[in-house]
Amino acid sequence: MQQLTYVKVGASTSARTIALSGVDKAAYEAEFAAQTGVSTNTDHPGYTGSGFVDGFASSGDAVQFDVWVEANATHQLRFRYGNGASASAVRTVRVDGTSIDTVTLPSTGSWSTWGTASISASLTPGRHTVRIEYASSDTGGINLDNLVLAR
C-alpha cells in the first residue's frame, strides 16, 4: 500500500499556490529507520512502503526515526503496528534522547491486521529523533510499519 496526495488542477500560465489542510505528512517507514535487535519482513499483508519491522519482542530492541518538523506545536506520534498476541504490548518513546512516556499497543487480533497507537509530543521546528524501544519494564511483541507526525 502506498501513501500519497494527488492534486489535479487545470492548465494555467500564471503561478498558483496550493495549500493542503488536514493532510498528514507522509509516513516515516520503519524499514528505513535505524534498527537495533530487530529485522524487516514482508510476510504479513497490508503494510505500507516496502516492508515492516518484525522481531520487535525483546528488551533492548528499538527503531529510531529521523524526522523533520515544520512548526512549533504539539504533534501526535502515530505508530502503525501489528500485534497478533492476545495481550497489549507497551513501548517506551524517546524524543531526542529523552523519554516522553510509554505507548500501549493493544492486540490487533492477528499479525496481518494493523492498528495505530498515538502519543503526544511538543516539538520545535527542525530535525528530531523519535525512538520507540522495548525498555526493561515494557512488554509484548509487535511488528512496526511506520510513524506519522500529525497535528
Side-chain angles (χ1 to χ4, degrees):
M1 174 163 73
Q2 296 297 317
Q3 299 175 342
L4 60 99
T5 301
Y6 179 75
V7 178
K8 184 176 179 179
V9 296
S12 175
T13 57
S14 61
R16 294 183 270 177
T17 300
I18 297 171
L20 302 176
S21 178
V23 177
D24 296 331
K25 289 177 69 170
Y28 293 93
E29 295 294 335
E31 66 271 23
F32 300 122
Q35 303 168 12
T36 303
V38 298
S39 57
T40 59
N41 213 326
T42 59
D43 63 344
H44 298 291
Y47 57 84
T48 62
S50 61
F52 58 88
V53 165
D54 72 356
F56 199 167
S58 301
S59 184
D61 293 352
V63 178
Q64 182 168 300
F65 300 87
D66 287 324
V67 301
W68 184 261
V69 175
E70 297 293 331
N72 190 26
T74 298
H75 291 76
Q76 291 295 311
L77 308 179
R78 294 184 184 156
F79 296 97
R80 186 168 191 264
Y81 71 96
N83 177 0
S86 60
S88 294
V90 175
R91 292 293 180 277
T92 298
V93 178
R94 297 180 177 276
V95 173
D96 299 329
T98 301
S99 177
I100 60 169
D101 207 347
T102 59
V103 63
T104 300
L105 306 119
S107 174
T108 57
S110 163
W111 291 105
S112 296
T113 301
W114 300 95
T116 303
S118 298
I119 188 171
S120 295
S122 181
L123 301 173
T124 57
R127 182 184 172 275
H128 296 276
T129 59
V130 175
R131 180 180 175 94
I132 181 170
E133 64 186 25
Y134 194 126
S136 61
S137 60
D138 293 342
T139 59
I142 63 166
N143 292 334
L144 186 64
D145 188 26
N146 64 45
L147 165 66
V148 170
L149 295 183
R151 290 192 347 202

